[in-house]
Amino acid sequence: MPMALSNDFAGSILDLMRKRFGLQLHEIFSALPFELLRFNCELPKDRDLVLQWLTPHFNALKSVVSPTYRSLVAYLSRSGLMDPDKRPLMLDLGYSGTIQKILTHILKRDTTGLYFIATKPGDSAISDHHALLKGVFHEGVGWRDGCTMLDRSLLFECLLTAPHGQMVDIRQKSNREFEYFYGREAATQRHFQDLKTVFDGAIDHVLMCRRHGVNYTSEDVQDLYEVFATRPNCIPHDVRHLFNVDDDIAGNGMVSPMQMFAI
């Protein structure tokens, strides 16, 4: 719970339970008193206070989430992440490794994470185990430190998504197969065929570079990103509809980085 409350959020406890934890209304009202749900919070500033509010209700919350927890552990086991001979490697955009650390706690094993940007690289102790974080393009930078790839990473977030969007719940059925539940569709889900065209073009370019011995340094990639992320009209108009992201987990709903960054 302390890890889950460490990232930015602003809203009521009801919003927190619904948007960050993906609980349905009947689950929330069965576990928490109505008066508490009306309280407002700003995370991570109010993390300790929210933890204090929720602690008396942990048993009720554990009862609500136990079906998801059992299904998630079964899914991770089937995916091979419990294999004692292999250390799990997680790939992500960034930044502080919260998901990796939560999975380290759930898996009860050491893990490694490889990120575009790692704001706090290195080894983190999670109970009796360790989560190692490494950054590819940047390590040890903070928000608004002048790193465009981090400060405007929301552009990346829009594109590096799946056809079904965010998974918010999982259940294992009687036949041992899994059933998945997803959140709201962003523009990238409604127009995923357009995003796939972008992906296909990127892969074709990498293959061409390999054939002809063309290499990009880390600095080259950052310089290219700087242009697209800061200059007006550098992102083609035909793909602008893809830059729309579901930021419910932070309480912000649908967000348009094109408008946010005035590009």
Side-chain angles (χ1 to χ4, degrees):
M1 183 62 80
M3 285 187 284
L5 298 176
S6 294
N7 292 333
D8 290 346
F9 184 87
S12 67
I13 298 297
L14 176 61
D15 289 337
L16 180 69
M17 293 293 112
R18 188 168 55 89
K19 295 180 177 180
R20 170 152 301 175
F21 294 99
L23 299 181
Q24 298 181 57
L25 289 176
H26 73 273
E27 294 173 322
I28 299 170
F29 285 111
S30 71
L32 299 173
F34 179 73
E35 294 78 11
L36 172 57
L37 297 175
R38 298 170 61 186
F39 291 177
N40 287 307
C41 65
E42 183 180 341
L43 298 175
K45 180 170 67 77
D46 298 330
R47 187 185 75 163
D48 292 341
L49 183 59
V50 173
L51 197 58
Q52 179 183 328
W53 291 342
L54 294 177
T55 298
H57 310 287
F58 273 179
N59 286 339
L61 286 170
K62 285 176 69 174
S63 177
V64 167
V65 303
S66 59
T68 296
Y69 181 83
R70 289 194 301 269
S71 300
L72 176 61
V73 170
Y75 171 81
L76 296 174
S77 179
R78 183 178 295 187
S79 300
L81 294 178
M82 302 290 194
D83 186 337
D85 297 323
K86 298 176 183 176
R87 177 168 176 154
L89 171 64
M90 303 173 192
L91 308 176
D92 202 354
L93 178 55
Y95 311 94
S96 57
T98 302
I99 294 173
Q100 180 189 347
K101 292 170 185 175
I102 291 173
L103 286 172
T104 301
H105 175 75
I106 293 173
L107 293 167
K108 297 181 173 57
R109 6 184 2 201
D110 296 342
T111 64
T112 300
L114 193 60
Y115 299 88
F116 276 29
I117 303 149
T119 53
K120 296 178 181 178
D123 196 66
S124 297
I126 310 295
S127 301
D128 297 328
H129 300 280
H130 294 267
L132 178 63
L133 282 70
K134 298 180 180 180
V136 174
F137 296 106
H138 278 291
E139 287 190 334
V141 294
W143 294 94
R144 292 176 290 280
D145 281 352
C147 173
T148 303
M149 192 171 276
L150 175 61
D151 290 342
R152 302 205 168 184
S153 56
L154 196 58
L155 294 165
F156 272 137
E157 297 275 10
C158 292
L159 300 183
L160 298 181
T161 184
H164 46 64
Q166 294 188 26
M167 189 177 77
V168 297
D169 208 348
I170 182 173
R171 287 290 186 276
Q172 189 169 30
K173 299 185 286 187
S174 58
N175 63 359
R176 314 311 294 169
E177 293 302 316
F178 295 98
E179 186 174 11
Y180 309 101
F181 302 88
Y182 303 104
R184 289 193 295 172
E185 288 187 343
T188 42
Q189 277 74 54
R190 295 193 301 274
H191 304 280
F192 198 81
Q193 71 280 0
D194 297 341
L195 183 56
K196 185 178 183 301
T197 302
V198 175
F199 289 162
D200 290 344
I203 292 170
D204 287 345
H205 182 75
V206 171
L207 293 174
M208 184 197 71
C209 289
R210 294 289 291 173
R211 280 197 300 270
H212 297 285
V214 177
N215 295 303
Y216 289 92
T217 66
S218 173
E219 290 73 22
D220 290 336
V221 174
Q222 293 174 59
D223 289 343
L224 284 168
Y225 190 75
E226 180 92 23
V227 172
F228 283 102
T230 61
R231 312 288 171 80
N233 299 316
C234 280
I235 294 176
H237 284 269
D238 287 346
V239 297
R240 288 184 171 225
H241 60 285
L242 298 176
F243 291 92
N244 175 263
V245 66
D246 175 1
D247 196 30
D248 265 351
I249 198 168
N252 297 321
M254 292 293 179
V255 175
S256 169
M258 303 290 288
Q259 294 178 357
M260 184 182 299
F261 302 137
I263 55 175

